Amino acid sequence: MSSPTATAKGYGISNTSNYTDFSVQEFKLKTPHADDVTLDIEVCGVCGSDVHTLTGGWGDLSAPWVVAGHEIVGKVTHVGDNVKEFKVGQRVGVGAQVLSCLKCDRCNGDNEQYCPEQVDTYNAKFPDGVESQGGYSTAIRTHQRFVFAIPDAIKSEDAAPMLCAGLTVFSPLVRNGAGPGKTVGIVGIGGLGVNFAIQFAHHLGAKVIVFSHSPNKKDDALSLGADEFVSTSEDGFADKYFDKIDYILSAADANSIPLGDLLSTLKVDGKLTSVGLPDEAWEGLKPQMMASNAACVGCSHVGSKKEANQMLKLAAEKGIKPIIDEVLPMSQAAKAIESVKNNTVRYRYVLKQDLA
């Protein structure tokens, strides 16, 4: 087999103060190894993480020029000698992680996303110093552990947002027992919530109660599987749900949510997991909020390959797909980033590769 391509082209930025000033440059791909898969990119979803990174909300860029994007779908162009799961021409996806040590207890226990040596898909460096660059580009190469087969039943543009947004909510739902006989609360119904959290919780068999400050999204929430919709802007909204909810997943990307009211709805030893990661610290978080019912507040980070494959299988079987506002040419990345930042997009953008 011929050698894999060494470089790709992408849309990147060099200054978080000018986060919509994208330029096209060529960059070096990951140094190839026997366990690597190389793919030509077809589409890439626009994630809230992209906005937080490109605007500097999560800190400085790790390189002079960064290509964002970690909801990637494309076709395999090369596989290393150790790769047996994938073949050239196969449609696959890559999410928010491209490497880990693959040797520690976490990696060996299907918790590779929590490996202390994990490498993000972009704005990071591989162990040899090569910069990781994301999916607003023509190609990507990564270890096969972080590549996922896309079922034929799922369109590429629908699969892309699942690889970060979908997996980010699927993992905590399954790890916290969402299923028959359980009542799950979903907070925030933007790109993560209404697109996937509601659908996955519903199709896993749980009763789903949505808490939102956006009443104009009620119909969408109910049509996707929510059993009840609660407006958090109403006084006393949590009173009737006291001691009714087993688990809450918050997808709200905000530093001010009615945390005390939400925690009061949990049963004893219940848990709230936040997968929304706002730039600023939460307002008003106090241990006293959790004392009356031994509630816990936690966070979660994407998911494992095992969970990604489970998620894609469920989505294919149940017809789960995101609400996509628009598929844009990748050259319009600036428009997409600005719209997500300003909250003028209702749910989700997907970018179609246009450089090759």
Side-chain angles (χ1 to χ4, degrees), residues 11-23 50-51 53-57 61 64-66 333-334 337-338 341:
Y11 295 94
I13 72 157
S14 56
N15 186 340
T16 56
S17 296
N18 299 312
Y19 57 86
T20 59
D21 188 14
F22 286 87
S23 64
D50 301 345
V51 176
T53 301
L54 296 180
T55 61
L61 299 179
W65 182 80
V66 169
I337 291 295
E338 188 72 10
K341 183 181 185 301

XYZ file of all heavy atoms in Angstrom, residues 11-23 50-51 53-57 61 64-66 333-334 337-338 341:
220
model
N -9.187 25.403 7.305
C -9.559 26.761 7.682
C -9.218 26.950 9.158
O -9.785 26.266 10.022
C -11.055 26.997 7.480
C -11.511 26.932 6.043
C -12.002 25.748 5.502
C -11.476 28.058 5.225
C -12.443 25.680 4.181
C -11.921 28.008 3.911
C -12.395 26.810 3.393
O -12.831 26.752 2.090
N -8.311 27.871 9.464
C -7.916 28.077 10.843
C -7.815 29.543 11.197
O -7.914 30.428 10.336
N -7.610 29.803 12.490
C -7.421 31.174 12.967
C -6.116 31.247 13.754
O -5.606 30.236 14.241
C -8.593 31.673 13.835
C -8.586 30.981 15.206
C -9.925 31.493 13.150
C -9.299 31.754 16.276
N -5.603 32.452 13.907
C -4.357 32.645 14.646
C -4.519 33.607 15.819
O -3.580 33.788 16.595
C -3.262 33.171 13.711
O -3.674 34.365 13.071
N -5.701 34.206 15.974
C -5.895 35.202 17.016
C -7.329 35.108 17.532
O -8.277 35.324 16.766
C -5.616 36.603 16.445
C -5.644 37.685 17.496
O -6.213 37.519 18.584
N -5.037 38.826 17.186
N -7.478 34.820 18.812
C -8.833 34.667 19.365
C -9.603 35.988 19.382
O -10.834 35.985 19.483
C -8.782 34.099 20.791
O -7.968 34.948 21.618
C -8.199 32.691 20.792
N -8.893 37.103 19.278
C -9.580 38.398 19.198
C -10.240 38.596 17.838
O -11.167 39.396 17.697
C -8.588 39.542 19.459
O -8.073 39.471 20.762
N -9.754 37.855 16.850
C -10.332 37.880 15.500
C -10.772 36.456 15.138
O -10.269 35.861 14.188
C -9.302 38.403 14.490
C -8.858 39.820 14.789
O -9.687 40.695 15.028
N -7.552 40.056 14.784
N -11.717 35.949 15.900
C -12.060 34.530 15.820
C -12.823 34.142 14.550
O -13.034 32.961 14.302
C -12.860 34.110 17.060
C -14.121 34.902 17.292
C -15.317 34.543 16.678
C -14.118 36.008 18.128
C -16.465 35.276 16.881
C -15.269 36.744 18.352
C -16.441 36.381 17.734
O -17.582 37.101 17.938
N -13.247 35.122 13.760
C -13.888 34.790 12.482
C -12.954 35.040 11.300
O -13.371 34.914 10.147
C -15.182 35.605 12.287
O -14.876 36.994 12.315
C -16.201 35.270 13.364
N -11.710 35.381 11.586
C -10.734 35.679 10.528
C -10.012 34.395 10.131
O -8.850 34.167 10.468
C -9.740 36.734 11.016
C -8.818 37.220 9.910
O -9.124 36.941 8.727
O -7.795 37.855 10.225
N -10.725 33.545 9.392
C -10.176 32.253 8.984
C -9.260 32.412 7.771
O -9.560 33.179 6.851
C -11.294 31.269 8.628
C -12.028 30.722 9.823
C -13.111 31.405 10.365
C -11.649 29.530 10.411
C -13.787 30.913 11.474
C -12.315 29.015 11.495
C -13.391 29.711 12.027
N -8.172 31.676 7.775
C -7.292 31.604 6.609
C -7.087 30.143 6.244
O -7.197 29.251 7.091
C -5.943 32.260 6.902
O -5.249 31.562 7.929
N -16.025 24.520 19.768
C -15.275 25.285 18.772
C -15.335 26.777 19.093
O -14.328 27.493 18.998
C -15.845 25.040 17.370
C -15.811 23.582 16.955
O -15.110 22.786 17.609
O -16.495 23.227 15.978
N -16.516 27.238 19.462
C -16.691 28.653 19.782
C -15.894 29.021 21.030
O -15.182 30.030 21.066
C -18.180 28.990 19.959
C -18.353 30.441 20.393
C -18.934 28.728 18.663
N -13.264 27.671 22.182
C -11.831 27.627 21.893
C -11.405 28.803 21.022
O -10.443 29.512 21.329
C -11.461 26.311 21.191
O -11.825 25.211 22.033
C -9.964 26.245 20.904
N -12.124 29.022 19.931
C -11.716 30.049 18.973
C -11.861 31.461 19.528
O -11.129 32.367 19.115
C -12.511 29.904 17.677
C -12.288 28.596 16.904
C -13.146 28.574 15.644
C -10.824 28.397 16.549
N -12.779 31.665 20.448
C -12.957 32.993 21.047
C -12.059 33.209 22.260
O -12.049 34.302 22.835
C -14.413 33.213 21.480
O -14.770 32.227 22.461
C -15.361 33.126 20.291
N -11.334 32.171 22.666
C -10.463 32.290 23.824
C -11.151 32.105 25.153
O -10.536 32.308 26.212
N -12.415 31.693 25.134
C -13.150 31.515 26.378
C -12.565 30.453 27.279
O -12.678 30.527 28.506
N -4.840 29.841 22.569
C -4.572 28.798 21.592
C -3.226 28.146 21.893
O -2.296 28.800 22.368
C -4.565 29.378 20.174
C -5.863 30.032 19.692
C -5.679 30.578 18.280
C -7.032 29.066 19.740
N 0.306 28.644 16.956
C 0.139 29.928 16.269
C -1.073 29.994 15.352
O -1.572 31.081 15.051
C 1.442 30.070 15.473
C 2.421 29.193 16.168
C 1.631 28.045 16.699
N -1.528 28.834 14.905
C -2.670 28.752 13.978
C -3.404 27.457 14.266
O -2.776 26.391 14.350
C -2.147 28.792 12.537
C -3.181 28.757 11.454
C -3.946 29.776 10.985
C -3.532 27.614 10.665
N -4.751 29.356 9.962
C -4.518 28.036 9.734
C -3.114 26.287 10.640
C -5.090 27.156 8.801
C -3.678 25.410 9.723
C -4.660 25.855 8.813
N -4.713 27.526 14.443
C -5.486 26.360 14.890
C -6.692 26.134 13.987
O -7.449 27.064 13.693
C -5.945 26.539 16.352
C -6.967 25.461 16.739
C -4.754 26.493 17.295
N -17.319 28.944 7.590
C -17.118 28.628 9.004
C -17.300 29.857 9.882
O -17.849 29.772 10.992
C -15.734 28.024 9.217
N -16.860 31.011 9.398
C -16.985 32.238 10.189
C -18.441 32.557 10.491
O -18.786 32.949 11.613
C -16.325 33.408 9.450
N -19.631 30.073 13.214
C -19.081 30.369 14.535
C -19.747 31.601 15.141
O -20.127 31.619 16.318
C -17.554 30.565 14.446
C -16.855 29.236 14.120
C -16.999 31.159 15.741
C -16.980 28.173 15.174
N -19.916 32.635 14.347
C -20.542 33.867 14.840
C -21.986 33.610 15.258
O -22.451 34.124 16.285
C -20.479 34.949 13.767
C -20.920 36.322 14.235
C -19.921 36.991 15.165
O -18.796 36.487 15.313
O -20.276 38.014 15.754
N -22.020 31.651 18.563
C -21.610 32.536 19.669
C -22.738 33.476 20.072
O -22.980 33.698 21.269
C -20.377 33.336 19.289
C -19.866 34.232 20.423
C -18.651 35.026 20.013
C -18.092 35.805 21.218
N -19.065 36.733 21.801
